Structure formats: structure tokens, C-alpha cells
Amino acid sequence: MSSQQSKIALVTGITGQDGSYLAEQLLEKDYRVVGLVRRSSLPTSSRIDHLLGDLELIEGELGDGGSLTRAIRRLQPDELYNLGAQSHVQVSFDTPEYTADVTGVGVLRLLEAVREFSPQTRFYQASSSELYGKVAEVPQSETTVFHPRSPYAVAKAYAYYITRNYREAYGLFACNGILFNHESPRRGEEFVTRKISLAAARIKHGHQQTLRLGNLDASRDWGFAGDYVRGMWMMLQAETPNDFVLATGETHTVREFCEIAFARLGLRLQWQGVGVDERGLGPDGSVLVAVDKQYFRPSEVDLLLGDASFVERSLGWRPEVGFAQLVEKMVDHDLEFTA
Ligand code: NAP
Ligand code: GDD
């Protein structure tokens, strides 16, 4: 396909974990991919540096409607993937107003620009399993009621409903992907999975001794980001717009994640309070994982487990990477990364 015939995809959040995998997959499909990036004093492109020759980047900010409108009006994209957000749950307790503006109202700004200047654009909204919060049922599906438990999740609830509203009110092709946690070697370092895989690697190299975590009993349905961005694209190729859950159908605790990660490197774990010496090490030099209250949240989401049967039936999406394989992929990467 020549570049003139290529479909145009505009991606917000292209410098993030999901944005980088999605950009790779869209380029492989011969899309013209344009990423919206915000200004920063230092480069934020490390996840997409390998793609910079093939991508176009334009400046924009989810908090600034004019920049979004100009981009959409000029590009008239065939598809718009809104992956940009203040995406950290704990951070949202410290910056609730900012999170509401960027993660919530930012979506309205995009939808208004699409409605006004590019109504043929197919719109993907990065909705989240955090919407289920204090879960009403197990597993959670497209019909499970929401009970958000953080300013982040409340902002995502606004974003979810405004996306549905613009679909119903104005006939836009607008989809919510309700994605359960998905991880990768490109995951931000402040999320628990990457924090653990990096710590395991650094401890193996002797650069770190202990690991301090919050709630070890929190349970998540963790999948691989590469599988999930494939699902985003499939949603925008559907005959009719809809909302879809993407999940693996398995849930594991933070504790289990640690056990697999450290076992991968032949490190023995010692949980806090059991036979720890004055250096913070367990018997025979085993590695200490300590619980630190600073990582606890004012209100927690205890258990997430998704039911992705609707998307499998309707679009044929299934995850390919399992839990243990995901943990090992991250640890193996970080062993090299921290060497
Ligand atoms: P991420 O790695 O934190 O990336 C977030 C992206 O948003 C970055 O590119 C960031 O740019 C951009 N961004 C932040 N604030 C912005 C602003 N004010 N204006 C424009 N761009 C802004 O997140 P992710 O894990 O890839 O997740 C992608 C999306 O899916 C997010 O909306 C997240 O909430 C949602 N989600 C994620 C998961 C998951 O498990 N990963 C599950 C469900 C839903 P900088 O590089 O400049 O910071
Ligand atoms: N970040 C972090 N750091 N979390 C910890 C820690 C720690 O030291 N110790 C325990 N946890 C627990 C958290 O309390 C939470 O229950 C769980 O580990 C996962 O935390 P995160 O990795 O920060 O992810 P999250 O589940 O809160 O949010 C992620 O997934 C959502 C989808 O369900 C983010 O990617 C969100 O953007 C996304 O919407």
C-alpha cells in the first residue's frame, strides 16, 4: 500500500507502555502513525526511539483543548486511540484535580473535536478494570456494575460514560476497551510488577538488598501489553462500536508475582518478620521483602479477575502470554537492563 492510501492513526500516550506497542503493530499494518506528545524539558521517547524514523509526532496536551482540536482537524485520522492519561492510581490520591482533568475531561475534549471536525474517526478509549473497584461480582464482565475506589478510577468512569454518550447521542464509532492490568518490560518503574522485576534483577547483581512493597495480598488479572494492544485495534475494526473487556481470566497476588520473579533468578525469599538479621537479610542470605505502609492506598482494590468471553466470541481476541511467562519475560529483560 502506498503512503497516500495508508490509514491514519492518531495515538495519544504514544510514549507510554501501550502506545509504544500499539505504534509498532500499526506500523506493521502499514498505517501512517501520528503520536501526540506533550512538551517536556527532557526527552520522553525512550520507548519509541526505535520507531522515530517511521512515526510523526505532534505536540499536544490532554489538558489543552485547542491543541487537540488542531491536531484532529488537520489530520482527520481514520482511527484515534486515546491512551494518554495520568495513569497511576496512587498518584491520583495526591493529584485528584489534575487526574480528573487529564484522565477524565481530556476525553471529552477529544470527543468534542472528533464530533465537530472529524466525525468519521473511529475512537478508542482506554478504559480500565479499576472501574470495578470494590467488585460487585467475580469475575467482572461488561455488565458488572462499577464501584471506583480512587480519583483515577472516578476519572476513568467519567471517560467511560462520556465515550458511550457520544456514541449514543451523535452516532460516533466510539469504543471502550475495559482492560485489566497488562505489563511488559516497558512497564513504568513505579508500577508493582516492574518494581519487582527490577528489584529482583538488581538484587541478583548485588546492587540492592531488600524490596519494600505495600499490600502483598492484592490480586490482579495480569496479562502482556502486546496482546492487549492487538485487542484495541480489533475493536476499531468491528462492524459496530461496542465496549469490550480484555483479560486473561486468571488472578494472582503481588506475593505470587514476587515468588516467580525471584525463583527465576534462583533467589530465596524471606518475608518480613521471619528470621531477619540486623542487615535486613533472612537466613542464609535469603532476600527480604518488607511491607511498607507508604505504599498502601487510602482505599484499595483487593481483587480483579476479568471475564473476556464476549470479546473472544465477537472479535476472536485471546491473550497468548500466560502469567508465569510474563513474569519471566520481565525478569529476564531486567537482568540484562540492570547489568
Ligand atoms: P503509561 O505508560 O503511564 O503512559 C501514559 C501516557 O500518557 C504517556 O505517553 C504520557 O506521556 C501520556 N500523558 C500523560 N499525561 C498526559 C497529558 N496531560 N497530555 C498528554 N499525554 C499525557 O500508561 P499505559 O500503561 O501505557 O496505559 C495506557 C492507557 O491505558 C492509560 O490511559 C491507562 O490509564 C490505561 N490503562 C492501562 C492499563 C495497564 O494495565 N497498563 C489497564 C487499563 C487501562 P509522558 O511520556 O509525557 O508522560
Ligand atoms: N505501585 C505499587 N507499588 N503497587 C503496590 C506496591 C508498590 O510498592 N505494593 C503493593 N502494591 C499493590 C497496589 O496496592 C495494587 O493493589 C497492586 O499492587 C497493583 O498496583 P499497580 O501496579 O500500581 O497497578 P494498579 O492495579 O493500581 O493500576 C494499574 O492497572 C489498572 C488496571 O486495573 C495501572 O496501569 C492503571 O493505569 C490501570 O488502569
Side-chain angles (χ1 to χ4, degrees):
M1 207 190 282
S2 81
S3 67
Q4 273 183 330
Q5 295 165 310
S6 294
K7 277 188 175 176
I8 302 174
L10 176 60
V11 181
T12 74
I14 198 161
T15 55
Q17 171 189 256
D18 290 6
S20 66
Y21 284 107
L22 180 66
E24 277 171 8
Q25 292 190 14
L26 292 173
L27 287 170
E28 276 165 22
K29 293 181 199 301
D30 208 19
Y31 276 69
R32 176 182 162 203
V33 181
V34 184
L36 186 94
V37 292
R38 55 181 175 161
R39 193 204 165 264
S40 68
S41 62
L42 284 171
T44 54
S45 60
S46 61
R47 293 185 179 100
I48 52 167
D49 278 346
H50 61 296
L51 303 175
L52 285 181
D54 301 317
L55 288 175
E56 289 167 56
L57 299 180
I58 51 174
E59 262 194 34
E61 157 62 57
L62 287 165
D64 182 88
S67 65
L68 306 177
T69 301
R70 278 191 296 281
I72 288 165
R73 191 177 186 170
R74 177 163 72 81
L75 281 169
Q76 300 279 309
D78 296 283
E79 296 169 15
L80 167 47
Y81 296 86
N82 180 36
L83 312 183
Q86 191 302 94
S87 74
H88 201 279
V89 172
Q90 188 153 21
V91 168
S92 77
F93 286 100
D94 299 324
T95 59
E97 193 179 333
Y98 172 76
T99 302
D101 189 45
V102 168
T103 305
V105 182
V107 182
L108 173 64
R109 296 185 181 108
L110 288 170
L111 286 166
E112 267 295 279
V114 167
R115 176 172 83 90
E116 190 101 10
F117 298 109
S118 190
Q120 76 290 350
T121 296
R122 294 187 168 206
F123 181 79
Y124 173 85
Q125 168 53 21
S127 284
S128 166
S129 53
E130 276 290 301
L131 293 168
Y132 300 119
K134 195 169 171 57
V135 297
E137 60 182 353
V138 180
Q140 298 89 48
S141 73
E142 291 81 1
T143 56
T144 303
V145 295
F146 297 153
H147 186 150
R149 294 272 281 171
S150 63
Y152 166 80
V154 172
K156 284 286 185 186
Y158 175 80
Y160 168 91
Y161 283 117
I162 201 68
T163 300
R164 280 190 75 144
N165 180 246
Y166 272 55
R167 181 167 81 219
E168 292 167 10
Y170 305 116
L172 296 187
F173 193 109
C175 299
N176 282 290
I178 308 174
L179 272 50
F180 283 64
N181 297 51
H182 45 279
E183 318 293 314
S184 74
R186 298 183 197 166
R187 184 58 142 153
E189 297 184 12
E190 70 282 12
F191 296 94
V192 75
T193 55
R194 189 77 198 288
K195 183 173 169 182
I196 296 167
S197 64
L198 277 168
R202 288 185 181 127
I203 289 168
K204 182 72 180 175
H205 290 306
H207 304 327
Q208 185 176 330
Q209 278 199 326
T210 60
L211 170 60
R212 306 189 80 76
L213 292 171
N215 180 10
L216 299 174
D217 298 319
S219 204
R220 290 289 182 277
D221 181 329
W222 275 300
F224 171 58
D227 285 339
Y228 285 55
V229 302
R230 176 166 44 84
M232 295 173 187
W233 177 80
M234 290 169 88
M235 287 178 211
L236 293 199
Q237 315 314 308
E239 271 179 31
T240 49
N242 213 328
D243 306 321
F244 301 92
V245 161
L246 299 187
T248 69
E250 270 185 41
T251 191
H252 298 274
T253 61
V254 171
R255 194 185 297 273
E256 285 175 78
F257 195 103
C258 288
E259 280 162 355
I260 298 182
F262 281 81
R264 177 71 171 176
L265 300 181
L267 296 166
R268 276 170 308 114
L269 277 182
Q270 185 72 31
W271 302 100
Q272 185 180 36
V274 193
V276 175
D277 72 14
E278 67 286 352
R279 294 166 302 153
L281 296 179
D284 309 323
S286 55
V287 176
L288 173 71
V289 177
V291 172
D292 188 331
K293 294 283 178 206
Q294 70 165 300
Y295 300 114
F296 279 65
R297 293 163 184 188
S299 45
E300 173 66 296
V301 172
D302 296 318
L303 165 77
L304 292 174
L305 175 62
D307 170 1
S309 53
F310 176 60
V311 74
E312 182 169 2
R313 267 197 323 277
S314 46
L315 303 181
W317 180 87
R318 292 182 63 137
E320 285 172 7
V321 177
F323 178 66
Q325 198 186 347
L326 170 67
V327 181
E328 291 171 2
K329 205 179 177 69
M330 293 176 71
V331 170
D332 292 354
H333 170 273
D334 284 337
L335 193 62
E336 212 165 301
F337 183 69
T338 57

